Every structure is written in structure tokens, then in C-alpha cells.
């Protein structure tokens, strides 16, 4: 194991010693608070799994709103500086799941169907991921591909399905904690390297994506996960909330 600081090492451990059941954790950051209502509306329409909001510093009014629909997980002790800024905090939150089986969702995920079928992809030590076709189709010298093998498929970490104790999640956190020189630009590149080192080369055998990214006015929308034409979720990465209302 690489040497990391004591504070980071604490964040790289599984926290809940008695995980139970199945559920969903969603990121809840103040910068995206306008998407909370949109996310919850879609979630409650299609999914009944227990929901946990990873609170990265919500305003009190938003926190109270979230409490009507799920539990609040305080993650304020996870550093907001350097390698922990933004999306790099994701693996540390995943380690704090209260569930035996968890679906991590970014807040910009549009729920389009029940998510229970996703849990089949995290059995027997597997991790449920889809390929990030937008980043993988970028030119070889793209910022997305800096410092990673050219044959590595970058995963889309907007949806991560895992079981408590999965070694890949802990290795993901450790590698992020060691990313102090910002060798890797995003948490998905880091997880891609972890999977690559564990000889996991094809995510499509676990969570299918129907098609390539759809161009939408200069932004991009990840294609639907799973198999039918409507998809189970959309990852609306990089799309303004006002545009989402018109999809």
C-alpha cells in the first residue's frame, strides 16, 4: 500500500460496521442545490429504495427539504482542499455507506425507472459501472487521457454500484488520497486505473449503455444505462438545469 497521511488513511476505511439492506447515496452540494428538487421529483416518481443525501454543506432550507425524502449523511469532515475538492471526494463518501449494497448517484442523474435491477451487477466482488463514451472518444492527447494507459476505458462514475467491503472502492479512495500532484484529473480516471490494475477492462458486461453521448447545444448528455430504449437513468453531465426541463 502506498504511504499516505494519517488523516487520509482514516478516510480510506469502511466506516459503518453493520451495513444493512440496499439503498442509494446521492451527492448533495450547495452549488447544485437547484437540481435537488428536479432529482427528488424524478426519484420519487420511479424508485422506492432508501435514499441518503451526502451533505457537502447544504443550506438549512435545502437540508430540511431533503430530510422529507431520506437520511442526511454529514460528510463535512472530508477535506474540501486539494485532491478532495469537488468530485474527488466521491470514493470517501462511498466508504461511508450504511447499506450492504449501494448505488452511488451524482445529483445530475435523471432517474427514469426503478433501480433495483442494478444490484445484480455488484455480486461476487464485481462493481457496476458503465463506460464514459464521451471521454473515451476524445482525442488521445485529451486532458481526460493524461497519465493513463491508452487502452484504458474510462468509466462513468455518475453511477457506481457496489457491495460493502468491495476492495475496488477502498483502492479508489487510497489512489485519490495519493493524487496530491493531480496526476489524474477526475475521480473517474482514478477508478479506471484501479479497474485496469485489477484486470477489469470492459464495463459493458456489467451496466450497458445504449448509445454514444448525444450532442445537445454544446453540452453533452450521457446515454441511457441498461438495455431498453428509454433507459433506466440519464447522466446529464454538463447540461444546464434549464435545458433539463426541456428534455
Amino acid at each position: 500500500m502506498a504511504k499516505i497521511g494519517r488523516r487520509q488513511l482514516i478516510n480510506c476505511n469502511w466506516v459503518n460496521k453493520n451495513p444493512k439492506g440496499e439503498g442509494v447515496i446521492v451527492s448533495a452540494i450547495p452549488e447544485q442545490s437547484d437540481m435537488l428538487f428536479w432529482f427528488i421529483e424524478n426519484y420519487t416518481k420511479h424508485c422506492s429504495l432508501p435514499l441518503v443525501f451526502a451533505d457537502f454543506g447544504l443550506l438549512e432550507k435545502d437540508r430540511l427539504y431533503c430530510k422529507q425524502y431520506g437520511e442526511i449523511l454529514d460528510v463535512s469532515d472530508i477535506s474540501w482542499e486539494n485532491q478532495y475538492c469537488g468530485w474527488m471526494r466521491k470514493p470517501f463518501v462511498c466508504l461511508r455507506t450504511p447499506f450492504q449494497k449501494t448505488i452511488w448517484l451524482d445529483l445530475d442523474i435523471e432517474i427514469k425507472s426503478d433501480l433495483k435491477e442494478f444490484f445484480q451487477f455488484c455480486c461476487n466482488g464485481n462493481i457496476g459501472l458503465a463506460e464514459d463514451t464521451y471521454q473515451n472518444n476524445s482525442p488521445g492527447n485529451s486532458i481526460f487521457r493524461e497519465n493513463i494507459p491508452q487502452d484504458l476505458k474510462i468509466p462513468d462514475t455518475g453511477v457506481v454500484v457496489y457491495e460493502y467491503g468491495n476492495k475496488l472502492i477502498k483502492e479508489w479512495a487510497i489512489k485519490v488520497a495519493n493524487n496530491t500532484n493531480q496526476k489524474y484529473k477526475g475521480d473517474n480516471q482514478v477508478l479506471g486505473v484501479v479497474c485496469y490494475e485489477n484486470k477489469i477492462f470492459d464495463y459493458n458486461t456489467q451496466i450497458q449503455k445504449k448509445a454514444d453521448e448525444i450532442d445537445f447545444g454544446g453540452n453533452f448528455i450521457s446515454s441511457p444505462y441498461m438495455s431498453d430504449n428509454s433507459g433506466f437513468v440519464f447522466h446529464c453531465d454538463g447540461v444546464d438545469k434549464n435545458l433539463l426541463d426541456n428534455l
Side-chain angles (χ1 to χ4, degrees):
M1 181 184 298
K3 292 183 179 179
I4 55 179
R6 183 175 181 180
R7 180 181 181 185
Q8 291 95 323
L9 184 60
I10 292 173
N11 284 329
C12 292
N13 289 322
W14 295 94
V15 174
N16 193 324
K17 302 305 180 184
N18 188 30
K20 295 181 180 179
E22 300 172 340
V24 173
I25 298 179
V26 62
S27 61
I29 62 176
E31 293 83 358
Q32 291 183 324
S33 60
D34 60 328
M35 298 188 74
L36 278 170
F37 310 98
W38 170 82
F39 174 88
I40 290 172
E41 179 182 15
N42 291 318
Y43 190 92
T44 55
K45 186 185 301 182
H46 298 292
C47 189
S48 59
L49 288 167
L51 182 60
V52 170
F53 296 90
D55 182 1
F56 287 104
L58 292 172
L59 295 174
E60 185 61 24
K61 65 179 182 65
D62 294 328
R63 187 176 295 113
L64 290 173
Y65 180 75
C66 291
K67 282 183 177 180
Q68 299 178 49
Y69 299 95
E71 301 295 322
I72 301 295
L73 178 63
D74 183 4
V75 293
S76 60
D77 61 310
I78 298 177
S79 171
W80 287 48
E81 300 175 356
N82 299 322
Q83 70 268 28
Y84 290 156
C85 66
W87 50 79
M88 285 295 192
R89 294 170 296 192
K90 190 180 301 183
F92 307 110
V93 179
C94 287
L95 287 169
R96 300 187 181 195
T97 178
F99 306 115
Q100 183 63 36
K101 293 184 178 181
T102 303
I103 302 172
W104 164 275
L105 297 177
D106 285 356
L107 191 59
D108 57 0
I109 293 290
E110 180 184 4
I111 309 301
K112 300 175 69 66
S113 187
D114 195 342
L115 303 181
K116 289 182 179 180
E117 285 194 38
F118 278 24
F119 291 116
Q120 65 182 295
F121 301 112
C122 69
C123 298
N124 303 316
N126 291 323
I127 185 171
L129 290 170
E131 178 185 347
D132 189 323
T133 54
Y134 178 83
Q135 292 192 13
N136 286 317
N137 291 333
S138 298
N141 60 354
S142 164
I143 188 174
F144 300 124
R145 303 210 63 85
E146 288 183 2
N147 301 312
I148 65 174
Q150 288 305 302
D151 60 338
L152 183 155
K153 291 183 179 178
I154 301 172
D156 181 341
T157 53
V159 180
V160 182
V161 189
Y162 64 98
E163 191 162 12
Y164 186 93
N166 187 301
K167 71 170 188 173
L168 299 176
I169 301 298
K170 184 168 183 175
E171 290 179 17
W172 183 22
I174 291 172
K175 196 171 286 291
V176 167
N178 278 299
N179 192 45
T180 53
N181 61 353
Q182 298 185 350
K183 176 180 179 180
Y184 306 113
K185 304 305 181 185
D187 68 280
N188 56 336
Q189 285 91 2
V190 178
L191 183 54
V193 171
V194 169
C195 290
Y196 192 87
E197 292 174 347
N198 283 273
K199 302 186 184 307
I200 300 172
F201 304 118
D202 188 0
Y203 317 117
N204 291 330
T205 59
Q206 297 177 51
I207 293 182
Q208 296 290 333
K209 296 182 77 174
K210 183 67 177 178
D212 291 336
E213 265 70 10
I214 304 168
D215 186 22
F216 192 81
N219 297 287
F220 61 87
I221 304 172
S222 295
S223 54
Y225 289 67
M226 299 296 285
S227 57
D228 67 36
N229 289 330
S230 63
F232 278 53
V233 301
F234 270 97
H235 189 183
C236 304
D237 192 358
V239 179
D240 184 88
K241 171 61 172 63
N242 293 327
L243 298 180
L244 295 177
D245 293 333
N246 296 321
L247 291 179

